[in-house]
């Protein structure tokens, strides 16, 4: 026998093993104690044990009551700034320590199997055909050998089993660990081979016969033969040791669910490893550490709130012992960074030619490497054939794919029949993994500390750099100087020419024209930049004019790039700046790249950007960069927030992961088809097995003259008996007429598809006495009435549709997450019958077995398990986060005031009567945002009408939302003024005459010069002639009658009513929906249809979550009572 490559590791010194960073101060020779779970580790290193929880922070404060104030403050709290700073520093140290622990858990063999606890361990290895196929067996054996070398050799006893269709073990009983036993383990691992299915239940039964084992390490790499419920019930009914369940490179949902349930039932842990990405998908140990990090960050948030002077209903005063004179000192007076910046440049040699990620993907992307999944499958993909059969009078599909192919959904939504080549798919998956690793290396290179992290890759030969040196950046001057310094050192040395322009209120250019990128010029511009101070406003448009309008030189064929580094919105209107950049960059070989740097939002130190938050600023500057054919990068003091280069790479990685998952589904389908053939089943499962279920009919026995005579006599006797079988129950009963037989149609009622599927498979034959005999070959499977918890699939991006349409696809009812329906099946009924002998109502015997709850005044039994309720809570939590995202989207941009624009042809009707005077200036700003945010961005044809005593049209017909026409529309809006009455009816009549299926968006306060009833009557008459929809937007509408009129007008025409909620902050909404543990947080009241319906769905989902938690606690309590 060959020597095991890991054999030398067993005689090495134990002290040479890798110890996690958090244990470097407490090294111990006993590695069994070092390898401990996160739960045990946090008992000594958690926030509570270190005294870093919120309660510990509050104990450092002194609290005193205060008199009643108008701002709701009831207490006054004092804390020293030194104590607060020390507490914050300790929290950051703890967070770093938790990150180090997560990093340690993601290294070596711990990344694959996690940390295995226990001293007497039974190891159950999945040796099914899928997990031990040719492509995976070598990797599995290597990982198992590493597991023995790093963790299992320190256990007291070991017991190794493998399970496929059969279960085999290395020894009859657990053996003490020694060098000889470890060599036998290595040899056993190298002899593992594929063994059919995945009978994990039989393996568990074998392992439970050894009661001395305290831990079971279960390695599962394929879908088990048994369902998760069967395994769960078995583990519940038997006393089992702690289970450490590992899903090894397995994407099957059934396998992942089984792993989690085994860990939950036994009080153990689970670990999900993805070989495709080489990372830990999920793990009990890692999840506990992330939860601790989240708790630490929550305390840091409370510290920031205390510095701002408020903690809930308590006013906080941070007392400082440092002299206030230090506030006047600047960082440059004593900072070592300042002295480092004053040193000469260290110009570095350049590497390969820099390229953007979009250009890089043209040569290294999935398409360039010929890794498109649909290109790979196209040669073996066939469309299903259909043919009209005149005899049957219907179209019949081919059935060849049931025996030799699997069905696969194509990228265009059609279904193809595929011949699956398993080796080629496995080879393709390996190539995908290599491509993902390549993309990850480029992301790490772009995100490394250096000029690429701030500026991205500078690709052009002629470069101009624009620096924002406005007065608002005085506290960031060192950051800006550092950014330009590393750019000069790392990326500009190999360029043809360059120039630097700084701007505040005025624009200063280092040179009139671009100069060659020599070392002398780079040093000279650095000295010049150090002398520039941050003063004035932010005249971005003037700086762009100076850079973009420079005269073309002889080298016009060279690419030219402008790199703008700024910290906020320009002083000029963003629409004007974007229009100018788009015009200049489209006419020349010029690219404008925008780099945004933002610090913490501290209004005391630095004023906020003009008219925008940080997110709105990033969105506007991203549009500016894209209008200039460039890239956008958003950087903060902690790292990159958004980057077009990184986003392109992440999108390519997500596509690769999607292809990998589809390959896994195809392989699972192929393995299932092979197993079904072995069991003799006729139907072939696939990715869509419900489309293939079809029953084969056996041919009738060959008749003879004797058998035909017997059949004829038997039919006559049956007809005679059936004619005498029915009699009316009275003389007045009417005898039904005899129905004529129709040989072209069946005699019985038509059966549904479900009834046809339940037909049994049978064979008919004649017995010796002449009677017919029947042999049943397959019995119908009973249809289960138990409702299972579905896994929701939610979109990442928002669809432009109404909330009513959106909830039809992603509402609670459609996703089958209605808790009341889940526990309202026939098995949940509570039977309470009157017993005459005792003269009282008595419950059924099984009523005492299941817990009972009240649902809408009715007693129901809880047939859901605690695991199912936990899964329900997980799915509803995902849905709640998606609802929060949708609500936040509806409250951002122009949608907050006007709602979503759904149609592709739109006419905006603006009320400019005298009653609209107070809100017209604000409406003009919001309408400008509407034009660019929704109409121009979505290529909507539109027109605008302003009405008061008369109707004024901007254009005679609907026009395209081009940039030129959008600019004209904004200018037309800005010259409007309010006066006169409100001719709403005439405006609606004019608006609906532009085109059919036009959407009219009526912006008004509801006050009309005509009666409301007349307008509704006229519009109803007009809709009989023309097709249009009216959406009403209420502005400053405080009259209830006017609001009801606008609602009726919208609903009668199939539109929506919208009213912007007052004082609604999307960040507050997000916080309310994420903090479900708070005391019934109330969402702001919304009158608009879209916001109201979504808020109602959120409240309904929140109610279901609270009930599900209460039901789960009830089940756990009843289980504990039975256990005692």
């Amino acid at each position: 026998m060959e020597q095991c490559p890991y054999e030398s590791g067993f005689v090495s010194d134990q002290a040479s093993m890798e110890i996690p960073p958090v244990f470097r101060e407490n090294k111990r020779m006993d590695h069994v104690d070092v390898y401990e779970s996160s739960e045990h580790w946090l008992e000594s290193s958690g926030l509570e044990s270190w005294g870093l929880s919120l309660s510990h922070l509050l104990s450092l404060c002194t609290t005193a009551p205060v008199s009643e104030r108008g701002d709701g403050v009831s207490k006054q709290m004092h804390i020293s700034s030194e104590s607060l700073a020390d507490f914050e520093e300790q929290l950051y140290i703890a967070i770093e320590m938790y990150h180090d622990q997560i990093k340690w858990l993601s290294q070596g063999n711990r990344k694959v199997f996690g940390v295995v606890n226990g001293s007497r361990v039974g190891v159950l290895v999945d040796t099914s055909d899928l997990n031990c196929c040719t492509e995976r067996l070598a990797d599995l054996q290597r990982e198992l050998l590493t597991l023995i070398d790093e963790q299992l050799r320190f256990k007291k006893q070991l017991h190794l089993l493998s399970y496929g269709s059969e279960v085999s073990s290395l020894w009859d009983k657990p053996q003490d660990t020694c060098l000889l036993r470890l060599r036998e383990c290595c040899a056993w691992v190298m002899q593992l081979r594929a063994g059919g299915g995945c009978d994990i239940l039989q393996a568990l039964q074998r392992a439970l016969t050894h009661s001395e084992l305290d831990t079971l390490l279960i390695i599962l790499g394929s879908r088990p033969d048994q369902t998760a419920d069967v395994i769960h019930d078995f583990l519940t009914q038997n006393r089992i040791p702690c289970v450490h369940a590992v899903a090894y490179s397995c994407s099957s949902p059934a396998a992942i669910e089984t792993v989690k349930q085994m860990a939950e039932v036994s009080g153990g842990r689970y670990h999900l490893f993805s070989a495709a990405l080489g990372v830990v998908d999920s793990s009990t140990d890692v999840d506990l550490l992330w939860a601790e990090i989240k708790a630490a960050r929550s305390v840091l948030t409370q510290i920031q709130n205390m510095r701002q002077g408020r903690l809930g209903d308590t006013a906080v005063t941070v007392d400082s012992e440092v002299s206030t004179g230090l506030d006047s000192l600047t960082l440059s007076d004593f900072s070592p960074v300042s002295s480092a910046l004053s040193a000469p440049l260290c110009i570095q040699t350049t590497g390969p030619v820099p390229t953007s990620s979009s250009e890089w993907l043209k040569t290294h992307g999935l398409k360039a490497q010929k890794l498109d999944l649909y290109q790979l499958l196209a040669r073996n993909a066939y469309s299903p054939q259909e043919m009209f059969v005149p005899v049957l009078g219907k179209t019949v599909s081919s059935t060849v794919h049931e025996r030799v192919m699997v069905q696969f959904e194509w990228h265009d939504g059609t279904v193809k029949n595929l011949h699956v080549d398993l080796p080629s798919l496995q080879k393709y998956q390996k190539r995908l993994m290599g491509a993902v690793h390549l993309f990850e290396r480029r992301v790490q290179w772009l995100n490394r500390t250096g000029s690429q992290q701030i500026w991205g890759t500078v690709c052009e030969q002629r470069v101009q750099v624009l620096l924002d040196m406005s007065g608002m950046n005085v506290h960031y001057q060192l950051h800006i100087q550092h950014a330009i310094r590393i750019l000069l050192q790392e990326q500009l040395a190999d360029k043809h020419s360059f120039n630097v322009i700084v701007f505040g209120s005025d624009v200063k250019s280092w040179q009139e024209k671009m100069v060659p990128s020599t070392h002398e010029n780079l040093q000279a511009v650095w000295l010049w930049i150090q002398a520039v101070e941050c003063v004035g406003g932010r005249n971005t448009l003037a700086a762009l004019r100076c850079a973009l309008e420079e005269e073309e030189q002889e080298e016009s064929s060279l690419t030219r790039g402008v790199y703008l580094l700024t910290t906020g919105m320009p002083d000029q209107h963003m629409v004007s700046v974007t229009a100018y950049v788009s015009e200049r960059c489209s006419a020349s070989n010029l690219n404008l790249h925008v780099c945004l740097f933002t610090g913490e939002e501290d209004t005391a130190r630095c004023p906020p950007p003009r008219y925008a938050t940080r997110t709105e600023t990033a969105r506007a500057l991203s549009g500016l960069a894209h209008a200039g054919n460039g890239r956008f990068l958003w950087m903060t003091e902690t790292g990159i927030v958004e980057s077009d280069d990184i986003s392109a790479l992440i999108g390519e990685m997500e596509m690769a992961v999607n292809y990998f998952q589809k390959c896994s589904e195809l392989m699972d389908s192929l393995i299932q088809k092979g197993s079904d053939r072995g069991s003799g089943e006729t139907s072939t499962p696939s990715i869509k097995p419900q489309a293939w279920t079809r029953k084969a009919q056996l041919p009738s026995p060959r008749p003879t003259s004797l058998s035909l005579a017997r059949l004829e006599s038997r039919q006559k006797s049956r007809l005679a008996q059936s004619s005498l079988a029915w009699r009316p129950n009275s003389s007045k009963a009417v005898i039904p007429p005899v129905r004529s037989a129709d040989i072209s149609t069946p005699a019985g009622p038509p059966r549904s598809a479900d009834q046809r599927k339940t037909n049994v498979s049978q064979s008919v034959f004649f017995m010796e006495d002449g009677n017919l005999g029947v042999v049943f070959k397959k019995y119908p499977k009973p249809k289960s009435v138990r409702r299972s918890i579905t896994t929701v699939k939610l979109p990442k991006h928002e669809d432009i549709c109404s909330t009513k349409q959106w909830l039809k696809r992603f509402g609670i009812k459609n996703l089958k997450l209605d808790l009341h329906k889940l526990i309202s099946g026939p098995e949940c009924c509570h039977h309470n019958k009157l017993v005459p002998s005792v003269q009282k109502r008595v419950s059924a015997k099984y009523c005492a077995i299941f817990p009972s709850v009240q649902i809408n005044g009715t007693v129901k039994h809880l047939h859901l398990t605690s695991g199912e309720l936990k899964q329900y809570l997980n799915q509803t939590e995902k849905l709640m986060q998606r609802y929060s995202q949708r609500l936040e989207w509806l409250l951002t941009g122009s949608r907050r005031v006007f709602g979503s624009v759904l149609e592709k042809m739109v006419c905006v009707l603006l009320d400019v009567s005298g009653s609209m005077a107070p809100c017209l200036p604000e409406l003009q700003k919001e309408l400008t945002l509407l034009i660019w945010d929704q109409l121009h961005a979505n290529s909507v044809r539109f027109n605008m009408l302003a009405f008061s005593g008369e109707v004024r049209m901007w254009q005679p017909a609907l026009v395209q939302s081009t940039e030129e026409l959008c600019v004209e529309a904004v200018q037309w809006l800005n010259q409007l003024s309010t006066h006169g009455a409100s001719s709403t009816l005439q405006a609606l009549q004019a608006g609906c005459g532009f085109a059919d299926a036009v959407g009219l968006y009526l912006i008004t306060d509801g006050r009309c010069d005509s009666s409301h009833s007349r307008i509704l009557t006229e519009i109803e008459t007009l809709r009989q002639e023309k097709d249009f929809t009216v959406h009403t937007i209420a502005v400053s509408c405080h009259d209830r009658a006017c609001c009801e009129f606008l609602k009726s007008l919208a609903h009668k025409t199939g539109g929506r009513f919208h009213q912007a909620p007052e004082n609604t902050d999307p960040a507050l909404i997000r916080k309310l929906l994420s903090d479900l543990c708070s005391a019934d947080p109330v969402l702001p009241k919304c009158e608009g249809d879209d916001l109201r319906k979504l808020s109602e769905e959120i409240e309904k989902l929140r109610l279901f979550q609270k009930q599900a938690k209460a039901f789960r606690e009830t089940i756990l309590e009843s289980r504990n009572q039975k256990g005692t």
Side-chain angles (χ1 to χ4, degrees):
M1 186 176 63
E2 296 183 2
Q3 184 181 7
C4 175
Y6 289 84
E7 196 171 311
S8 60
F10 297 126
V11 295
S12 61
D13 185 11
Q14 294 182 0
S16 64
M17 287 189 61
E18 181 185 6
I19 296 177
V22 294
F23 293 110
R24 287 173 182 167
E25 298 180 358
N26 298 316
K27 291 187 178 181
R28 291 173 290 182
M29 297 299 293
D30 187 2
H31 289 78
V32 178
D33 295 335
V34 172
Y35 280 87
E36 59 181 350
S37 63
S38 295
E39 182 179 2
H40 295 156
W41 184 80
L42 287 173
E43 290 179 358
S44 58
S45 302
L47 296 180
E48 287 291 340
S49 59
W50 277 31
L52 293 178
S53 63
L54 182 60
S55 60
H56 291 92
L57 174 61
L58 297 178
S59 65
L60 301 176
C61 307
T62 58
T63 307
V66 297
S67 58
E68 291 295 333
R69 293 163 50 177
D71 55 358
V73 174
S74 60
K75 297 179 182 179
Q76 180 69 40
M77 185 180 296
H78 295 269
I79 186 173
S80 66
S81 60
E82 288 76 13
S83 300
L84 200 61
D86 291 341
F87 199 92
E88 185 178 23
E89 182 181 2
Q90 292 298 322
L91 278 173
Y92 280 116
I93 293 174
I95 291 175
E96 183 179 2
M97 182 181 64
Y98 299 148
H99 279 291
D100 288 341
Q101 181 73 353
I102 292 175
K103 183 178 180 181
W104 177 75
L105 289 172
S106 303
Q107 292 174 350
N109 195 251
R110 298 177 295 274
K111 178 175 67 175
V112 181
F113 299 107
V115 175
V116 182
N117 294 132
S119 58
R120 295 175 175 84
V121 180
V123 183
L124 284 66
V125 182
D126 177 8
T127 56
S128 60
D129 290 339
L130 180 60
N131 195 39
C132 290
C133 61
T134 306
E135 300 295 332
R136 296 178 48 148
L137 181 59
D139 294 337
L140 176 63
Q141 290 173 333
R142 182 178 65 254
E143 298 294 349
L144 287 173
L145 291 174
T146 309
L147 174 67
I148 296 172
D149 185 31
E150 293 186 3
Q151 298 192 55
L152 297 185
R153 66 185 177 123
F154 301 108
K155 308 302 180 184
K156 293 181 179 179
Q157 285 187 342
L158 290 178
H159 187 58
L160 275 63
L161 297 92
S162 64
Y163 60 94
S165 297
E166 301 292 335
V167 178
S168 64
S169 60
L170 176 59
W171 306 300
D172 294 337
K173 61 181 181 178
Q175 300 291 330
D176 294 336
T177 304
C178 62
L179 183 58
L180 178 61
R181 298 303 182 192
L182 293 174
R183 289 179 179 176
E184 292 178 357
C185 292
C186 289
W188 179 80
V189 168
M190 298 305 296
Q191 294 174 1
L192 291 178
R193 294 294 182 268
C198 181
D199 193 354
I200 189 175
L201 185 60
Q202 184 182 356
L204 287 171
Q205 292 172 347
R206 178 81 66 86
L208 293 182
T209 58
H210 305 289
S211 59
E212 59 267 41
L213 297 176
D214 57 15
T215 301
L216 291 182
L217 171 60
I218 303 176
I219 301 171
L220 185 63
S222 61
R223 187 179 63 181
D225 294 344
Q226 296 83 17
T227 63
D229 292 337
V230 172
I231 300 174
H232 177 273
D233 294 340
F234 172 77
L235 295 177
T236 305
Q237 297 169 6
N238 294 272
R239 186 177 180 181
I240 59 172
C242 179
V243 172
H244 181 89
V246 178
Y248 173 76
S249 187
C250 180
S251 60
S252 171
I256 294 174
E257 181 64 23
T258 301
V259 164
K260 292 184 177 181
Q261 286 198 12
M262 287 191 299
E264 179 184 3
V265 172
S266 65
R269 293 170 294 124
Y270 68 88
H271 187 88
L272 310 181
F273 170 70
S274 173
L277 302 178
V279 297
V280 180
D281 280 342
S282 180
S283 169
T284 304
D285 290 332
V286 175
D287 291 347
L288 288 174
L289 292 170
W290 280 120
E292 203 74 6
I293 291 174
K294 184 178 179 181
R297 288 175 176 170
S298 177
V299 178
L300 288 173
T301 302
Q302 300 299 332
I303 291 177
Q304 296 298 326
N305 295 336
M306 294 174 70
R307 286 201 173 101
Q308 295 175 5
R310 190 73 176 265
L311 186 62
D313 60 348
T314 304
V316 181
T317 301
V318 180
D319 301 324
S320 176
E321 299 177 2
V322 183
S323 174
T324 57
L326 291 178
D327 296 337
S328 60
L329 295 178
T330 61
L331 190 61
S332 59
D333 293 337
F334 50 85
S335 175
V337 180
S338 177
S339 59
L341 291 177
S342 61
L345 297 178
C346 299
I347 298 174
Q348 304 173 6
T349 57
T350 57
V353 178
T355 58
S356 63
S357 291
S358 57
E359 292 295 327
W360 185 83
L361 287 173
K362 291 180 180 179
T363 56
H364 299 87
L366 296 178
K367 187 174 291 185
Q369 299 184 48
K370 298 181 180 180
L371 290 177
D372 189 292
L373 177 62
Y374 299 102
Q375 292 180 355
L376 174 70
L377 300 178
R379 56 190 176 186
N380 294 326
Y382 303 92
S383 299
Q385 299 295 323
E386 295 184 350
M387 181 182 297
F388 182 79
V389 180
V391 177
L392 301 177
K394 63 179 180 180
T395 302
V396 180
S397 301
S398 61
T399 60
V400 179
H401 67 273
E402 294 187 9
R403 297 182 293 273
V404 296
M405 299 182 186
V406 296
Q407 282 185 312
F408 184 73
E409 186 175 355
W410 214 244
H411 58 82
D412 57 358
T414 60
V415 177
K416 301 285 187 180
N417 299 326
L418 292 180
H419 283 290
V420 180
D421 185 8
L422 189 60
S424 65
L425 283 183
Q426 293 171 341
K427 183 178 179 181
Y428 171 74
Q429 284 184 319
K430 281 195 170 183
R431 293 182 61 196
L432 276 180
M433 292 168 56
V436 170
H437 292 325
L438 178 64
F439 301 151
E440 287 178 344
R441 288 197 298 270
R442 180 167 176 87
V443 170
Q444 293 173 357
W445 177 75
L446 289 172
N447 202 21
R448 69 186 178 94
T449 303
S451 58
Q452 285 86 3
Q453 192 180 29
I454 302 175
W455 302 90
T457 52
V458 179
C459 309
E460 295 81 7
Q461 287 84 18
R462 303 174 68 226
V463 178
Q464 287 179 298
V465 182
L466 274 63
L467 295 179
D468 179 4
M469 301 293 286
S470 58
M472 288 177 286
N473 295 336
V474 63
H475 294 283
Y476 301 130
Q477 185 169 353
L478 288 179
H479 294 82
I480 297 173
Q481 290 180 356
H482 172 71
I484 188 62
R485 177 184 174 87
I486 61 176
L487 176 67
L488 296 173
Q489 291 180 155
E490 298 179 5
Q491 297 200 60
L492 292 189
D494 63 334
K495 303 304 175 185
H496 178 273
S497 56
F498 80 102
N499 194 9
V500 178
I501 300 172
V502 299
F503 65 94
S505 298
D506 300 325
V507 180
K508 299 177 183 179
S509 178
W510 175 57
Q511 299 291 342
E512 294 183 359
K513 296 183 178 180
M514 285 188 278
V515 297
S517 298
T518 62
H519 287 204
E520 293 77 11
N521 287 335
L522 293 174
Q523 294 286 357
V525 72
W526 171 239
L527 295 176
W528 178 77
I529 289 171
Q530 287 181 292
V532 177
E533 296 293 335
C534 294
V535 293
R538 189 182 285 124
N539 194 355
T540 308
L541 183 57
L544 290 172
R545 289 183 183 276
C546 180
L548 301 181
E549 295 179 1
E550 181 179 344
E551 296 182 2
E552 294 290 337
Q553 299 180 358
E554 298 177 357
E555 300 83 0
S556 59
S557 60
L558 299 177
T559 56
R560 180 179 165 200
V562 177
Y563 288 79
L564 169 64
L565 177 62
T566 183
T567 60
M569 296 282 281
D571 291 342
Q572 297 78 20
H573 202 284
M574 200 64 208
V575 176
S576 303
V577 179
T578 304
Y580 169 75
V581 169
S582 177
E583 179 182 357
R584 293 295 304 177
C585 293
S586 60
S588 59
N589 186 19
L590 178 63
N591 300 324
L592 172 64
H593 310 281
V594 180
C595 307
L596 172 64
F597 176 82
T598 58
E600 295 184 359
E601 288 186 335
D602 188 358
T603 57
R605 286 187 54 187
C606 181
R610 183 174 183 264
Y611 302 131
T613 62
R614 291 196 303 177
T615 305
E616 293 171 346
T617 301
R619 187 182 298 110
L621 293 178
S622 175
L624 177 65
H626 297 159
N629 304 322
R631 291 164 285 135
F632 173 70
L633 190 147
W634 180 10
M635 173 77 180
T636 65
E637 295 175 344
T638 58
I640 294 177
V641 178
E642 181 180 347
S643 170
D644 288 348
D645 282 333
I646 295 179
S647 298
L649 294 170
I650 291 176
E652 201 77 1
M653 285 191 285
E654 290 178 348
M655 186 183 300
V657 171
N658 183 29
Y659 288 165
F660 190 93
Q661 292 176 348
K662 289 183 180 295
C663 286
S664 299
E665 292 175 358
L666 279 174
M667 290 191 291
D668 288 344
S669 177
L670 186 63
I671 296 299
Q672 182 184 1
K673 186 180 78 169
S675 62
D676 289 345
R677 282 181 177 177
S679 62
E681 294 185 8
T682 58
S683 61
T684 303
S686 69
I687 297 177
K688 294 184 177 180
Q690 64 272 16
W692 291 8
T693 55
R694 184 171 299 182
K695 301 295 180 181
Q697 296 181 354
L698 297 176
S700 303
R702 185 175 181 179
T704 61
S705 58
L706 180 60
S707 62
L708 290 175
R710 289 173 176 170
L711 287 175
E712 184 177 359
S713 62
R714 184 176 290 107
Q715 290 176 358
K716 290 181 179 179
S717 62
R718 287 178 180 174
L719 289 174
Q721 293 175 1
S722 61
S723 62
L724 301 174
W726 181 85
R727 287 291 184 270
N729 56 2
S730 68
S731 59
K732 297 182 180 180
V734 180
I735 300 177
V738 179
R739 297 178 58 184
S740 60
D742 187 358
I743 61 173
S744 62
T745 59
R751 294 178 297 173
S752 63
D754 294 336
Q755 292 173 335
R756 288 194 298 269
K757 288 180 181 179
T758 59
N759 284 345
V760 296
S761 176
Q762 59 186 17
S763 176
V764 183
F765 64 93
F766 286 103
M767 296 187 295
E768 295 179 357
D769 57 358
N771 295 323
L772 288 175
V774 179
V775 175
F776 292 90
K777 292 189 173 182
K778 184 185 292 184
Y779 291 89
K781 295 182 179 180
K783 185 176 180 181
S784 175
V785 297
R786 181 182 178 86
R787 295 181 174 92
S788 59
I789 308 300
T790 59
T791 301
V792 297
K793 295 182 179 180
L794 303 172
K796 295 182 179 179
H797 305 288
E798 298 296 344
D799 296 332
I800 302 177
C801 61
S802 64
T803 299
K804 182 178 180 181
Q805 295 172 338
W806 193 79
L807 289 177
K808 285 183 178 179
R809 292 185 295 162
F810 307 112
I812 300 173
K813 181 179 179 181
N814 184 266
L815 296 177
K816 299 180 181 179
L817 291 178
D818 192 320
L819 183 62
H820 293 174
K821 286 189 176 181
L822 289 173
I823 59 176
S824 297
E827 74 277 14
C828 302
C829 295
H830 173 73
H831 294 286
N832 192 3
K833 295 183 178 180
L834 178 64
V835 179
S837 59
V838 295
Q839 291 300 318
K840 64 178 182 179
R841 307 189 71 88
V842 179
S843 301
K845 291 184 178 180
Y846 66 83
C847 293
I849 301 176
F850 302 103
S852 301
V853 293
Q854 288 276 351
I855 299 296
N856 297 328
T858 305
V859 179
K860 295 290 184 181
H861 291 299
L862 282 179
H863 278 247
L864 295 176
T865 64
S866 61
E868 289 174 330
L869 286 173
K870 184 176 181 181
Q871 182 184 0
Y872 175 83
L873 289 172
N874 293 335
Q875 299 303 318
T876 53
E877 181 64 25
K878 289 171 54 179
L879 186 59
M880 181 65 76
Q881 293 176 0
R882 188 62 185 84
Y883 283 171
S884 174
Q885 178 184 341
R886 178 78 179 182
L887 186 60
E888 184 180 353
W889 180 74
L890 290 174
L891 292 173
T892 54
S894 60
R895 290 177 294 273
R896 186 185 70 86
V897 179
F898 306 107
S900 301
V901 176
L902 309 182
E903 296 82 6
K904 286 297 182 181
M905 294 184 294
V906 167
C907 182
V908 179
L909 312 177
L910 178 60
D911 184 359
V912 291
S913 60
S915 60
M916 296 288 290
C919 53
L920 182 61
E922 186 65 25
L923 272 179
Q924 290 173 332
K925 293 181 182 179
E926 297 293 342
L927 282 170
T928 301
L929 181 60
L930 171 70
I931 292 173
W932 294 106
D933 186 25
Q934 298 198 58
L935 302 184
H936 174 69
N938 300 326
S939 302
V940 178
R941 295 180 60 204
F942 76 105
N943 197 1
M944 307 191 75
L945 301 182
F947 64 94
S948 54
E950 58 183 3
V951 178
R952 286 173 287 172
M953 296 185 184
W954 169 55
Q955 295 287 345
L958 300 179
V959 297
Q960 297 291 341
S961 54
T962 61
E963 292 186 4
E964 295 80 7
L965 290 175
C966 288
V967 172
E968 291 183 12
V970 172
Q971 294 174 351
W972 183 78
L973 278 173
N974 291 332
Q975 55 86 28
L976 293 176
S977 60
T978 58
H979 63 281
S982 177
S983 54
T984 306
L985 181 58
Q986 290 78 3
L988 290 170
Q989 290 172 341
C992 66
F994 286 114
D996 287 335
V998 66
L1000 305 181
Y1001 287 78
L1002 176 63
I1003 306 172
T1004 179
D1005 57 359
R1007 301 177 183 177
C1008 313
D1009 56 1
S1010 302
S1011 65
H1012 294 166
S1013 59
R1014 182 193 171 195
I1015 295 176
L1016 294 175
T1017 304
E1018 292 292 337
I1019 291 299
E1020 190 173 354
T1021 304
L1022 195 59
R1023 271 181 58 84
Q1024 297 176 359
E1025 304 173 359
K1026 298 180 180 181
D1027 182 18
F1028 62 91
T1029 304
V1030 179
H1031 305 277
T1032 56
I1033 296 99
V1035 180
S1036 298
C1037 185
H1038 305 294
D1039 189 353
R1040 194 64 188 174
C1042 294
C1043 287
E1044 292 299 328
F1045 159 68
L1046 294 177
K1047 289 180 182 179
S1048 300
L1049 178 61
H1051 297 162
K1052 282 182 177 295
T1053 58
R1056 296 164 295 133
F1057 170 76
H1058 184 82
Q1059 186 173 12
E1062 298 179 358
N1063 301 324
T1064 301
D1065 185 8
L1068 177 61
I1069 297 293
R1070 193 185 316 115
K1071 182 178 180 181
L1072 287 175
L1073 294 178
S1074 61
D1075 188 13
L1076 294 176
C1077 297
S1078 59
D1080 294 333
V1082 179
L1083 292 175
K1085 185 178 180 180
C1086 301
E1087 294 290 343
D1089 291 344
D1090 284 341
L1091 295 174
R1092 177 178 53 79
K1093 290 178 180 178
L1094 186 57
S1095 299
E1096 291 174 353
E1097 197 77 2
I1098 289 173
E1099 293 295 340
K1100 184 178 180 181
L1101 183 61
R1102 182 182 294 169
L1103 173 63
F1104 286 163
Q1105 284 182 321
K1106 292 175 63 177
Q1107 291 180 343
K1109 289 180 180 178
F1111 294 164
R1112 189 166 183 266
E1113 292 176 359
T1114 302
I1115 293 175
L1116 295 177
E1117 289 178 1
S1118 63
R1119 182 184 300 175
N1120 294 334
Q1121 292 175 359
K1122 291 178 181 179
T1124 56

